[in-house]
Amino acid sequence: QVQLVESGGGLVQPGGSLRLSCAASGFTFSNYWMNWVRQAPGKGLEWVSTINGAGDTDYADSVKGRFTISRDNAKNTLYLQMNSLAPDDTAVYYCAKRPFGEGQYDYWGQGTQVTVSS
């Protein structure tokens, strides 16, 4: 019974920061690549960032230098620290897992809304 539960979204002003969390259960968390994927209003899914079990990371160009993905394998938790937020970052942010850096996502969380607005 895999579960991914995102939290930490909300309303923030441009230039502000938020930290998203994803609590994982029902699988061996440390064995999986974890990802943040977002969907802006009226847009398709956009991959944001990934981290493997060893902590190696990668980012979409749109967030590189502003967002930091991390994980705590002991706590089965994935994080996304978002700094210097802009209105274009407004989206529903999803936590998703897959066994490798490519391929289909096995499971998704319910998503958490991030709204960047004055």
Side-chain angles (χ1 to χ4, degrees):
Q1 297 180 353
V2 172
Q3 285 191 307
L4 300 170
V5 181
E6 300 97 333
S7 61
L11 175 65
V12 64
Q13 292 184 328
S17 298
L18 284 174
R19 192 192 196 198
L20 307 183
S21 297
C22 171
S25 61
F27 65 100
T28 305
F29 179 71
S30 61
N31 288 350
Y32 287 85
W33 293 68
M34 299 300 299
N35 305 266
W36 289 100
V37 182
R38 68 185 182 184
Q39 187 168 33
K43 305 296 183 181
L45 293 169
E46 178 190 18
W47 171 80
V48 173
S49 186
T50 192
I51 184 168
N52 69 13
D56 301 320
T57 62
D58 200 10
Y59 300 89
D61 288 342
S62 58
V63 307
K64 192 170 296 183
R66 300 187 298 121
F67 291 10
T68 302
I69 190 171
S70 62
R71 66 194 296 162
D72 187 334
N73 288 337
K75 296 181 178 179
N76 287 354
T77 303
L78 176 73
Y79 303 99
L80 184 67
Q81 178 67 46
M82 305 185 295
N83 299 327
S84 300
L85 285 163
D88 284 350
D89 296 314
T90 295
V92 177
Y93 284 72
Y94 297 95
C95 172
K97 70 181 283 285
R98 57 187 174 186
F100 305 103
E102 297 180 334
Q104 286 196 325
Y105 298 103
D106 301 301
Y107 293 93
W108 297 74
Q110 84 288 351
T112 186
Q113 176 70 50
V114 172
T115 302
V116 185
S117 176
S118 299

